[in-house]
Amino acid sequence: DFAALSGQYFDMWMDDLHTVQPFEITSEWQVYMALDWGYDNELVCHWWAIPPSGAHIYCIREYVETHKLSPVAGAEINAINESMFGLNYIRDNRIKYMVADPSIFAAGGQVAKTIADDFIQALTAKEADSEGRKRRVMVVPGDNSRVHGWSVFRNMLAIQPDGLPFAMWFKTCKYAIETIPTLIHDDHKIEDLDTDGADHAADADRYFFVERFAPKKIEEKKPWVDLKDYVSRMTWEDLAKERERVYGRNRGVDLPVAQIGV
């Protein structure tokens, strides 16, 4: 009874709504992979599918292993892709990309090669195309902003107007179904969840949810960028900096540029 779990983090989880019986995923669906790395802890890879309507998303398969070296795990994940989508799945663009644990992109010690490189190599086509290039599944680092990520995760679990949650898991994804509802709040950082729990499936899904569905930060275009005259551009930039300095000193008093002497 997950409802009775003290401090349950995802208290909106309902097995009868958030899990579904598997069904066929046709070629019109977009498929993505999400990976949370672990060696002593669980390594989790999830496959997420989005229908053409975009009304809901489904976790259609999972891969969970421990004490598995990254080249071996990569080869096994590639074999799963071939079994689901055919030997030419890379050429046919059946997997859009993999969003992965950002820690695997860091090289350790004197080793220049990263764990991410092993997955990239495993997800690269063996044969070159007509132009001599080897196509591959793009592997990108996930955003590890935890509190923001869990907020996005909750939105994915939310019930939509049709009475179903936006994100659902195939009942064959047993590790995710068993662990996600058991996660609890961190006692010291209430907006985060307790990392002592089995959060590996949740982490993999969090990387995907943030990458694919969270609003992207848009850097504000500075007004002086389009000025061609160097002096005018620098003058406007200096005015802006001085305005920020004065505003910071007189917090709460928003002074117009015209009142600031340079």
Side-chain angles (χ1 to χ4, degrees), residues 28-39:
E28 290 80 17
W29 290 55
Q30 293 184 355
V31 180
Y32 302 81
M33 290 190 293
L35 176 81
D36 185 55
W37 168 252
Y39 183 76

Side-chain angles (χ1 to χ4, degrees), residues 112-220:
K113 187 179 182 182
T114 67
I115 294 173
D117 291 329
D118 291 329
F119 286 99
I120 292 170
Q121 183 176 350
L123 299 173
T124 298
K126 298 177 178 62
E127 303 294 333
D129 61 17
S130 59
E131 299 179 359
R133 300 173 302 180
K134 287 188 175 181
R135 297 181 180 275
R136 63 180 178 86
V137 175
M138 185 167 59
V139 181
V140 299
D143 184 335
N144 205 24
S145 304
R146 293 179 58 83
V147 173
H148 168 64
W150 298 134
S151 176
V152 176
F153 200 119
R154 283 197 180 98
N155 289 339
M156 299 297 104
L157 296 177
I159 305 302
Q160 305 302 300
D162 61 4
L164 295 174
F166 186 68
M168 289 170 272
W169 287 253
F170 277 12
K171 291 184 180 294
T172 48
C173 300
K174 294 182 178 180
Y175 180 78
I177 295 170
E178 290 172 357
T179 58
I180 291 174
T182 67
L183 298 172
I184 61 175
H185 287 269
D186 187 296
D187 288 338
H188 305 288
K189 192 175 182 181
I190 196 64
E191 293 298 330
D192 199 355
L193 57 77
D194 188 348
T195 57
D196 289 336
D199 58 355
H200 313 294
D203 278 340
D205 294 340
R206 171 169 59 90
Y207 298 141
F208 170 65
F209 292 159
V210 172
E211 170 62 31
R212 184 63 177 77
F213 297 102
K216 300 296 186 291
K217 293 181 180 178
I218 301 176
E219 185 176 352
E220 181 183 356

